[in-house]
């Protein structure tokens, strides 16, 4: 398991942490949700209704039980083409909920604050690994070019909580036919900053012993998960965090606003020679945009 609780008192995320329910997709009116609906035409950005997301996208898994608003770094496809870069089904503008006063501006400020936090965390991690402080900037993952992802997610209580869900909430393994709030998975990029509703414990992570353990919200902190690209970059020294969500509360929703600090879309990520420590690389170089596409384009029941 590679996860930690990161203090956030130094950045301006507290208003959203205190009032995250006000920015939950469940607070959007039906006509607003309809106008923001996620689809291939929206470049996989926008509002996803309950049951659309299938995190465990292999055949036979039950869809997740959450709704969300998904945003990415905005890229103009025409500008991408003019620059001679490859096109992507993900590139495009975001669908901002401008119909709701204050929603878009608060979310935009939150994204900017998380970019600052993610960059600062990476500077500290670089020094901890014996790398130059600015190692992640430049051509890999500076805040000015990070292909960030921001989600605001509403997890209502699961439709049915039977013995299997109760066993899962206690750390058990579940089959493909069992509905979770969000199925087990690792995130795709570098760091995920998980801003959780303080009143509901539903996030679980798998520890080094292979056990599912709760990651309860702690006041003034984000959970920080390691993503696939960080595992590649550190040649496995940092392991991507396997995690899942189960909201088994009877009458309490959970709201989460995770922010994904990612490499540049065109960045090629490979094990850093300094971190191989005389051992052969365990991972092949991978273009981050291709990795992201392989996940996002198979993540929805469209």
């Amino acid at each position: 398991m590679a996860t930690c609780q990161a203090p956030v008192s130094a950045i301006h995320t507290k208003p959203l942490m205190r009032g995250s329910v006000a920015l939950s997709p469940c607070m959007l009116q039906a006509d607003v949700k309809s106008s923001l609906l996620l689809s291939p035409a929206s470049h996989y950005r926008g509002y996803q209704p309950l049951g659309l997301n299938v995190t465990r996208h292999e055949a036979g898994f039950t869809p997740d039980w959450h709704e969300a608003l998904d945003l990415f770094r905005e890229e103009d496809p025409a500008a991408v083409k003019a620059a001679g870069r490859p096109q992507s089904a993900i590139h495009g503008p975001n669908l901002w909920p401008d119909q709701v006063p204050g929603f878009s501006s608060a979310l935009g400020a939150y994204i900017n604050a998380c970019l600052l936090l993610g960059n600062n965390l990476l500077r500290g991690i670089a020094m901890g690994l014996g790398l130059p402080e600015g190692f992640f900037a430049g051509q890999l993952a500076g805040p000015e070019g990070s292909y960030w992802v921001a989600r605001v997610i509403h997890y209502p209580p699961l439709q049915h909580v039977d013995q299997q869900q109760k066993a899962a909430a206690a750390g058990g393994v579940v089959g493909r036919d069992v509905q979770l709030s969000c199925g087990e998975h690792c995130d795709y990029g570098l760091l995920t900053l998980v801003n959780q509703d303080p009143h509901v414990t539903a996030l679980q992570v798998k520890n080094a012993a292979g056990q599912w353990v709760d990651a309860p919200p702690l006041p003034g902190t984000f959970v920080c998960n390691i993503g696939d690209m960080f595992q590649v970059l550190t040649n496995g020294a940092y392991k991507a965090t396997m995690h899942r969500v189960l909201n088994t509360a009877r009458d309490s929703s959970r709201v989460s606003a995770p922010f994904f600090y990612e490499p540049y879309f065109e960045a090629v990520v490979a094990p850093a020679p300094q971190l191989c420590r005389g051992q052969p690389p365990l991972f092949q170089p991978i273009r981050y945009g291709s990795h992201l596409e392989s996940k996002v384009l198979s993540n929805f029941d469209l």
Side-chain angles (χ1 to χ4, degrees):
M1 176 181 68
T3 189
C4 66
Q5 299 277 163
V8 297
S9 57
I11 63 171
H12 301 296
T13 56
K14 286 188 176 181
L16 184 55
M17 295 181 76
R18 290 195 301 266
S20 59
V21 173
L23 293 181
S24 166
C26 68
M27 303 301 291
L28 299 176
Q29 297 296 320
D31 60 332
V32 176
K33 292 179 179 181
S34 179
S35 71
L36 303 174
L37 197 62
L38 182 151
S39 72
S42 75
H43 307 283
Y44 298 89
R45 302 160 185 250
Y47 169 75
Q48 54 171 277
L50 290 166
L52 185 69
N53 200 86
V54 188
T55 300
R56 303 176 297 175
H57 54 78
E58 298 90 348
F61 279 117
T62 303
D64 301 328
W65 195 242
H66 66 258
E67 59 178 342
L69 183 68
D70 289 6
L71 303 99
F72 296 75
R73 172 185 168 86
E74 293 184 309
E75 287 276 11
D76 181 357
V80 170
K81 182 178 180 179
R85 292 187 282 137
Q87 295 291 302
S88 172
I90 302 173
H91 289 335
N94 286 319
L95 301 181
W96 295 89
D98 294 328
Q99 303 94 324
V100 183
F103 196 119
S104 297
S105 60
L107 192 51
Y110 174 72
I111 289 167
N112 288 334
C114 284
L115 278 168
L116 174 62
L117 175 60
N119 184 55
N120 286 342
L121 284 172
L122 286 177
R123 289 167 54 203
I125 291 172
M127 290 188 289
L129 289 170
L131 300 170
E133 181 178 346
F135 177 82
F136 293 100
Q139 299 302 308
L140 182 64
E144 70 287 344
S146 165
Y147 207 87
W148 56 263
V149 182
R151 307 188 70 205
V152 183
I153 312 171
H154 169 227
Y155 298 96
L158 286 167
Q159 292 175 291
H160 307 287
V161 179
D162 58 20
Q163 291 303 314
Q164 292 193 78
Q165 275 97 351
K166 290 179 181 178
V173 177
V174 297
R176 293 173 177 241
D177 60 331
V178 178
Q179 185 176 63
L180 304 179
S181 302
C182 186
E184 63 260 26
H185 66 286
C186 296
D187 295 329
Y188 317 143
L190 289 173
L191 298 178
T192 305
L193 310 176
V194 185
N195 179 358
Q196 304 185 80
D197 191 310
H199 307 298
V200 179
T201 295
L203 176 64
Q204 293 184 328
V205 297
K206 184 177 281 189
N207 64 18
Q211 301 166 322
W212 287 106
V213 296
D214 289 337
L218 300 178
T221 70
F222 286 171
V223 170
C224 182
N225 286 336
I226 296 300
D228 292 338
M229 295 299 98
F230 216 102
Q231 180 169 301
V232 171
L233 185 68
T234 61
N235 205 38
Y238 277 65
K239 306 295 185 185
T241 310
M242 183 69 73
H243 57 287
R244 67 187 184 185
V245 180
L246 296 94
N247 182 12
T248 57
R250 290 185 176 181
D251 54 8
S252 297
S253 287
R254 174 183 184 260
V255 175
S256 176
F259 180 84
F260 305 81
Y261 192 103
E262 313 292 52
Y264 301 155
F265 196 85
E266 296 297 335
V268 175
V269 181
Q274 306 96 308
L275 301 179
C276 290
R277 307 188 191 287
Q279 301 297 317
L282 300 177
F283 305 92
Q284 293 296 315
I286 183 170
R287 173 178 174 262
Y288 175 64
S290 299
H291 183 65
L292 180 64
E293 289 169 336
S294 74
K295 300 292 187 176
V296 171
L297 302 186
S298 62
N299 210 36
F300 303 102
D301 187 11
L302 295 171

